[in-house]
Amino acid sequence: VYIQATQATNKHDYHLGLRACFNQVKKTLYWLKLVDVQGKGELEQRRQKLVKATEDLMELLNKLNQK
């Protein structure tokens, strides 16, 4: 979806594409937070890193969409 957004022929389509990306990332964050690693430390650390990366990506997409 991001590739489609960057190849948009106008700003409106670009922003719609970024919004679609944001929604997909938001859903990913939701599911990552639901994952139960059953108290396994290494898996919890990996899950937390993914949550952080997903939150960072959401912030980036928000900034791109504000331009």
Side-chain angles (χ1 to χ4, degrees):
V1 175
Y2 179 76
I3 293 172
Q4 292 172 335
T6 59
Q7 294 175 347
T9 57
N10 58 56
K11 269 194 163 189
H12 178 72
D13 289 344
Y14 173 74
H15 288 289
L16 284 177
L18 286 180
R19 188 71 190 155
C21 290
F22 180 84
N23 287 334
Q24 287 182 353
V25 172
K26 188 175 176 182
K27 289 177 188 176
T28 300
L29 182 60
Y30 171 79
W31 286 107
L32 282 171
K33 288 183 176 184
L34 286 180
V35 170
D36 181 12
V37 293
Q38 301 176 353
K40 295 182 178 157
E42 182 183 334
L43 290 177
E44 177 60 24
Q45 287 177 343
R46 290 172 67 185
R47 188 186 71 81
Q48 286 297 328
K49 285 181 183 179
L50 289 171
V51 166
K52 175 72 170 109
T54 304
E55 290 170 342
D56 291 347
L57 185 55
M58 286 178 69
E59 186 177 325
L60 176 66
L61 289 169
N62 269 334
K63 287 180 182 179
L64 287 173
N65 205 24
Q66 291 174 0
K67 288 184 177 183

